[in-house]
Amino acid sequence: MSDSTKNPEKLDNSGNSKARQLLGMKGAAAGETSIWKIRLQLMKPITWIPLIWGVICGAASSGNYTWTVENFLLSAACMLLSGPLMTGYTQTVNELYDRDIDAINEPYRPIPSGAISLAQVKVQIFVLLLAGIALAYGLDLAAGHDFPTILCIALGGSFIAYIYSAPPLKLKQNGWLGTYALGSSYIALPWWTGHALFGDLNWKIVILTLIYSFAGLGIAIVNDFKSVEGDRELGLKSLPVMFGVTTAAWICVIMIDVFQIGISGYLVSIHENLYATIVFLLVIPQIVFQDMYFLRNPLENDVKYQASAQPFLVLGMLFTGIALGHAGI
């Protein structure tokens, strides 16, 4: 009888590690040999979800989305752009330039484990970027844009993604600037894309989502706790390294809560009181989970906190988008 048959828990843990490996999550297992699974692991599918959701929020804030087959296919293509293509490109670039840090923090990752060559990684970066730019331009054509708004968002986002990870700028070396760049990529960029696809992107939406992105900064800080050791060793000034784990955890939750409550206040100012109340109430369970998990032990409970609290944050984003669309902002 095999060990896994004798010990079902060991089998379950092995399967769980394989799933984490494929999704690009912490606690994965090494040893994958399929090149396509390795390429997918580089793209960290778990990180696509907020960007795909951001497209939905942008479509809602446009006030013009209707449930037709054409609009559904357009939104699906936009999600493909924001998730697998542009986020996949971003994560692969980050994997390339973070290979020394990953060798310390996550040695099972594809590059430090030797599962894929640097040449293959660079080809993947180029293919994802080219496909993303082509699809962005195609969406502009489908939307009938005189000015290629979505293409410009894709080009700007890909540039930010590159300078976030790559020297000489390597924005992630600066705790505040790098973390905000990441946070705005989670919220503002996909939101703009979804809004531009179905409506006219305007400065009110741009500024409002950039403000909302400070809540995204809080989300981005959560991702820094898993790499504190490597960041400290290699001199990267993430907020947990700069301020210590406890202070950084408080900065994280304050940014998330304060800016969500601020958005709720803005919705009151445009007379969307029902949606403002919903957004405000969605902060309460987040505070509960922050106290239960994150603030007590951010190093151990970061993933558990994200799984429990983040759904309420993204629901708040959606209700905000619906409110903005209803108000005609």
Side-chain angles (χ1 to χ4, degrees):
M1 185 180 292
S2 69
D3 289 342
S4 59
T5 306
K6 293 177 183 177
N7 190 349
E9 184 178 349
K10 181 177 180 181
L11 181 62
D12 291 342
N13 289 338
S14 175
N16 187 44
S17 293
K18 286 290 185 182
R20 286 175 174 271
Q21 179 189 42
L22 198 60
L23 292 172
M25 297 173 66
K26 186 172 71 173
E32 182 58 66
T33 56
S34 167
I35 187 60
W36 296 110
K37 288 183 178 179
I38 291 168
R39 290 190 181 281
L40 188 62
Q41 188 184 356
L42 280 172
M43 295 161 64
K44 291 188 177 179
I46 195 68
T47 64
W48 303 349
I49 299 171
L51 285 293
I52 290 172
W53 190 262
V55 169
I56 298 172
C57 296
S61 70
S62 73
N64 297 321
Y65 185 86
T66 55
W67 287 100
T68 65
V69 173
E70 180 184 2
N71 283 351
F72 176 78
L73 293 176
L74 283 173
S75 61
C78 195
M79 292 176 193
L80 173 64
L81 170 66
S82 294
L85 295 181
M86 297 312 298
T87 308
Y89 155 81
T90 299
Q91 294 295 344
T92 308
V93 169
N94 192 61
E95 291 272 327
L96 176 65
Y97 289 104
D98 268 10
R99 58 189 183 273
D100 293 335
I101 298 175
D102 287 341
I104 299 169
N105 294 316
E106 300 176 272
Y108 49 80
R109 298 297 304 163
I111 299 176
S113 68
I116 190 169
S117 70
L118 294 183
Q120 289 173 305
V121 174
K122 291 174 182 177
V123 168
Q124 178 165 322
I125 290 170
F126 177 77
V127 170
L128 288 171
L129 178 59
L130 192 62
I133 290 172
L135 180 54
Y137 183 65
L139 288 172
D140 276 318
L141 293 178
H145 290 162
D146 294 328
F147 180 81
T149 307
I150 297 175
L151 175 61
C152 289
I153 295 171
L155 289 171
S158 62
F159 176 71
I160 292 171
Y162 183 79
I163 64 174
Y164 173 78
S165 297
L169 294 179
K170 202 174 179 72
L171 296 181
K172 67 183 302 177
Q173 289 180 328
N174 182 306
W176 289 108
L177 185 59
T179 309
Y180 180 75
L182 190 59
S184 61
S185 297
Y186 282 159
I187 293 181
L189 293 182
W191 196 310
W192 298 349
T193 307
H195 190 106
L197 183 60
F198 296 104
D200 294 321
L201 185 61
N202 58 74
W203 284 108
K204 283 187 178 180
I205 292 294
V206 169
I207 293 170
L208 189 64
T209 51
L210 285 175
I211 293 171
Y212 211 160
S213 293
F214 281 99
L217 184 152
I219 302 171
I221 296 172
V222 179
N223 297 325
D224 289 333
F225 286 95
K226 70 179 181 354
S227 56
V228 171
E229 181 182 346
D231 289 348
R232 185 180 291 117
E233 186 171 327
L234 295 177
L236 294 182
K237 296 181 180 179
S238 67
L239 295 186
V241 171
M242 291 170 62
F243 297 104
V245 169
T246 301
T247 302
W250 275 102
I251 293 172
C252 170
V253 300
I254 289 171
M255 297 298 285
I256 292 172
D257 298 342
V258 166
F259 282 93
Q260 248 190 301
I261 293 170
I263 290 295
S264 174
Y266 175 77
L267 295 182
V268 170
S269 75
I270 60 172
H271 310 295
E272 294 293 335
N273 297 333
L274 174 61
Y275 293 113
T277 302
I278 294 171
V279 172
F280 179 82
L281 291 176
L282 286 170
V283 178
I284 296 174
Q286 293 181 72
I287 293 173
V288 172
F289 288 120
Q290 287 161 1
D291 178 63
M292 284 177 59
Y293 297 134
F294 192 61
L295 292 173
R296 299 188 185 193
N297 194 336
L299 295 178
E300 292 295 327
N301 295 331
D302 55 340
V303 174
K304 186 182 294 186
Y305 164 68
Q306 285 179 309
S308 58
Q310 198 157 307
F312 298 100
L313 172 65
V314 298
L315 273 176
M317 290 170 55
L318 178 59
F319 282 112
T320 298
I322 294 171
L324 295 174
H326 184 259
I329 299 300

